[in-house]
Amino acid sequence: MDPTHQGPEEYGQNANGSDGRRRPSRESNAADFGQPTPQQVRVVQVTVGDLLLTVNPVDGSEVEACPPGSEPTAPVRRTPAERADHERAGAPPVPAGPPAPQLPLLERQEERERVVGLLARGRSVRLTGQAGSGRTALLDAVAADCADLAPDGVVRLSGHRRTAADLLYGIFDAIHHAPLHRPGPEELLALVRSIGAVVVIDDLEIGGAALDGLLEATPECAFLFGTEPDLAAPGVDAHLEEVLLAGLGRSASLELLEKVVERPLTEDERNWAGDLWFESEGLPLRFVQAGSLLRQRDRLNTDPGAFDEYDYFEPRPDDAPPVPEAPTPETLDVPLPSLGEGAAPAVLLASRLSEAARETLRFTVALGGEVPHQAHLPALVGDTHADAALGELAGCGLLSPAGPRYRLAAGVLAQLEAGGYAESAAAHARTAAQHYAWWVSHPSVTPQRAVAEADAIVAAMGRLVPDGEAGQASAAVLLARSAAPALAAGMSWGAWEKALRAGQEAARIAGEVAEEAYFHHELGVLALCSGNLDRARTELETSISMRGALADKSGAVAGRRALALVADRSGGFAPPARSQTGDEVPAVRHDLLAGTPPVSFPAPPLFTRQTVEEDPTLISSLPAGPRATAPKPGGGRVVLGGARRNLAAAGAGALLIAVLGTVVTLGLTAGDPEEPGGSRNVTTEQSSPESTPDDASPADEPDDVPAPDDGAPGGEAPTNAGPSQPATPSTSGSPSPAPSSPDGSSPGAGEPSSGPSSSTSGAPTPTRTSPTPSQSTSTGPSVTPTESEPEPTPPTETPTTEPPSPPPPDTTSSASGPAESAGAGTGAPAKSGEPTEASA
């Protein structure tokens, strides 16, 4: 292309006119400081056991059962080369500037050989020593010696602010390659149980039962823990060897001091170092820092203008005063540090560093000792060369490695706070929170890079929340809202939970209800994925109620879906188990027991149908006769023959006994062909004496259909007894219909029924016969013959003195059959010794 006709792309602009130039970063983990790009919502799907977690930064994460076909692949073991690359990626970055001198491991050969021998025999070791006693250096040397000792090599982890679950997942991730898959608790235990490696964990903070659980979960691993003496010891069954690490001797301490200074010590310096050895009990960290003090003293004595009012990295102006000549030993004006300054040298060391290094220390103090990555220092400090400050601090012994980052060495934080570096901690923490909120939301920042800065991010929120100010809390809410999805996608769930809890508290202080509902929802999803269903239900219900008050429909729907999965996992929708035969216990419906109607009305059934039907126990006053067929489930609503009875059925039992007696009597009369005159035969149009309950299978029909008025009380058909017959109670075999009683009471409660002959009128009445089946319009439920019931016997006509009149059409609901009509035509009285069915 002609250089004189360049388009916007050649000038560093995109086609839309925006500036697309990018400043090349100094290393791979540097932040992108170019023009901001349009924000993109990063939705990441992670499989957690048999669940599919969709990390949605807008409405909240969604969790569902893993659909078919989307199950994750089985984790694959890393090769030795992949394990080495993974270990290098997790190491702290090399500080900018000249390399620091490599210090020897002095007076540690005996402990080194003992620890390696114990690990070679498969024993786990606990290396106990004070902070600054050189535990990290000894762990590095032992790890190098055990590189080829175990089949899965050596796993280096940091135990600083890590739980037992975090360490287990760290061991799994170091050996297995499973992108976007977090195994469940059972799967994790099965995978780590087969790992055979030497696991080196520095700065361990768990002990007791938690440490016992970690050792029990990994029986094929040999552990080397670096701990402090005040940590709780594991149980006696842990079989953990204890190795104590003391300070160095006087000669070794002086030798280490000479290695740091890189020159022989003078007599005054040796005497000063002897007093320091007695004061510090020979801790190697104190002599590394003391050597840094001597090096700074040498630099000041040889180049006084290096650390004057002008910055070390800035050129001196032309009008500045000339640099004085280097002093001679006779004119040295920088004395040796005092013994107190040698024992606590952090403030003196920091005063002789560059302004960028001192500002970095202020941010580090504000973050609770967590040092930001050197790629963030130029933006935080405001100096393009501030990344070199990390090398200055590391070279002075003020920093120590902690996993993939650095933090202040032991005792340095307290010394700097006493020296006034915490005066502006709140302002520095807010600046760091705003920077991290912008950085972690940038599309170019991967979840893995966010996880590397997780401790600094959480520390920034932790500093802002306790202040209780709305402005500080709002900055913490913004940071937590931006960082939580990235930490979840990076599967650093320990930091994810800390960020959510800090954000929820900050949102409560700031009064941001919508953000507080979001954090409650995320905590519920996290608890659900972790298996804590009770905690998940509480958090989700809180989130749903808050979002309902805010009319946040999409967020409430996401919460209800997660809550439904919680109910499903906790067994809320599980059907009741069916009992075995012989152990049937009636399942009482408690929702109906509270509103059971009085016993004078038919109550709904309180018991479920039994799996195996038994012969019902029939309670009746009828004489012994042929066994009737058991009623169908649709006719008798309650089964009385169970092995156990509930007291709730006692009220309904007295009412339903009469119903069973009537039904059984009808079956007896229908199945006995030898009854004289067929007086017990009934037709299929007989109505049930009791109305069917509301939940019965036959359709509900009114039982108060008016019958034709024939002059008989109660709508009954009176018999033609003649004027000379006395008014005696009827003992006819036809049942007395209960619904037609004038007072509405049931005749089956043990009282004698009053038949049609109880009328005191002696006038003859016309003879009536029951209608044929084709003419019947009975409104009650009919007794339909089934295979288990015998067919009713055809009615038998009794010879009379005069032919019967033709039957008039009738729509009565009377249950009287042809046998009653035959008896009425003869005018014969009923048999007094024959019991009625109503007497049952």
Side-chain angles (χ1 to χ4, degrees), residues 333-432:
D333 56 352
V334 179
L336 282 172
S338 64
L339 186 60
E341 291 174 341
V347 177
L348 182 58
L349 285 171
S351 65
R352 296 174 178 178
L353 299 177
S354 64
E355 180 60 30
R358 290 194 293 270
E359 190 68 13
T360 301
L361 286 178
R362 293 186 181 94
F363 277 101
T364 303
V365 171
L367 299 180
E370 301 294 337
V371 181
H373 194 275
Q374 59 185 359
H376 299 282
L377 295 180
L380 292 174
V381 176
D383 188 353
T384 56
H385 297 280
D387 52 352
L390 187 67
E392 291 186 63
L393 298 176
C396 294
L398 296 179
L399 305 181
S400 61
R405 65 197 183 282
Y406 289 95
R407 61 188 315 270
L408 290 179
V412 175
L413 179 60
Q415 298 173 25
L416 293 177
E417 289 178 347
Y421 280 81
E423 294 178 355
S424 59
H428 283 81
R430 183 170 184 175
T431 302

Side-chain angles (χ1 to χ4, degrees), residues 515-612:
E515 302 300 336
E516 186 178 359
Y518 167 82
F519 292 123
H520 278 296
H521 174 85
E522 293 295 292
L523 286 171
V525 171
L526 173 61
L528 172 58
C529 295
S530 303
N532 192 351
L533 300 180
D534 294 336
R535 184 68 181 178
R537 184 181 298 105
T538 302
E539 297 288 351
L540 290 173
E541 288 176 352
T542 304
S543 173
I544 292 172
S545 62
M546 298 178 72
R547 286 179 165 176
L550 295 173
D552 185 3
K553 295 183 179 179
S554 59
V557 168
R560 291 191 187 97
R561 289 176 180 173
L563 189 60
L565 185 57
V566 171
D568 183 41
R569 294 237 157 186
S570 59
F573 300 140
R578 188 178 295 274
S579 58
Q580 300 295 330
T581 305
D583 296 332
E584 295 87 3
V585 178
V588 181
R589 292 168 55 185
H590 297 278
D591 55 341
L592 294 179
L593 281 178
T596 304
V599 295
S600 58
F601 297 93
L606 300 180
F607 306 100
T608 57
R609 180 68 59 189
Q610 309 237 0
T611 57
V612 179

Side-chain angles (χ1 to χ4, degrees), residues 54-63 481 518 521-522 525 547 555 558:
T54 303
V55 181
N56 185 0
V58 179
D59 297 327
S61 302
E62 298 181 4
V63 60
R481 191 70 167 79
Y518 167 82
H521 174 85
E522 293 295 292
V525 171
R547 286 179 165 176

Side-chain angles (χ1 to χ4, degrees), residues 222-271:
F223 286 88
L224 175 58
F225 302 111
T227 65
E228 294 187 3
D230 56 350
L231 189 67
V236 294
D237 298 334
H239 303 291
L240 199 63
E241 298 290 338
E242 190 83 14
V243 176
L244 298 178
L245 197 62
L248 300 177
R250 180 186 177 92
S251 59
S253 299
L254 296 179
E255 182 181 356
L256 178 62
L257 185 60
E258 290 181 349
K259 293 291 183 180
V260 174
V261 180
E262 297 180 332
R263 64 172 177 82
L265 299 178
T266 63
E267 187 64 25
D268 294 338
E269 292 174 344
R270 295 180 69 88
N271 295 334

Side-chain angles (χ1 to χ4, degrees), residues 244-303:
L244 298 178
L245 197 62
L248 300 177
R250 180 186 177 92
S251 59
S253 299
L254 296 179
E255 182 181 356
L256 178 62
L257 185 60
E258 290 181 349
K259 293 291 183 180
V260 174
V261 180
E262 297 180 332
R263 64 172 177 82
L265 299 178
T266 63
E267 187 64 25
D268 294 338
E269 292 174 344
R270 295 180 69 88
N271 295 334
W272 175 77
D275 295 339
L276 180 63
W277 172 82
F278 182 80
E279 179 69 22
S280 64
E281 299 179 356
L283 294 180
L285 178 62
R286 294 291 177 264
F287 287 91
V288 172
Q289 296 172 347
S292 300
L293 286 177
L294 296 181
R295 290 171 58 184
Q296 289 181 349
R297 176 173 175 267
D298 293 344
R299 188 181 306 171
L300 290 175
N301 288 331
T302 56
D303 188 8

